[in-house]
Amino acid sequence: MKVIILLLLLSLAVAIFFLFAFIWGVKDGQFDDDYAPPRRILFDSKDINHID
């Protein structure tokens, strides 16, 4: 029974560690998309319904 409690606490510690690492990564901008916006400008499609 002690092993189950120990493994449960260990798994919770690992999960909390990865949660804080994920939050830290999101706040630090690790998941920001810095590739698509410059490419989107190059391949911007024209609005075919707009008539000047």
Side-chain angles (χ1 to χ4, degrees):
M1 188 68 183
K2 290 180 181 179
V3 173
I4 292 174
I5 293 172
L6 179 67
L7 288 176
L8 182 65
L9 292 175
L10 184 64
S11 65
L12 282 174
V14 170
I16 290 171
F17 170 74
F18 279 108
L19 178 66
F20 281 118
F22 176 72
I23 291 171
W24 177 60
V26 169
K27 285 186 177 181
D28 198 37
Q30 294 290 321
F31 300 105
D32 288 347
D33 186 16
D34 57 350
Y35 180 75
R39 302 290 187 247
R40 195 176 307 137
I41 292 172
L42 293 175
F43 301 109
D44 191 22
S45 63
K46 294 181 181 178
D47 188 10
I48 58 173
N49 295 328
H50 181 70
I51 299 172
D52 287 330

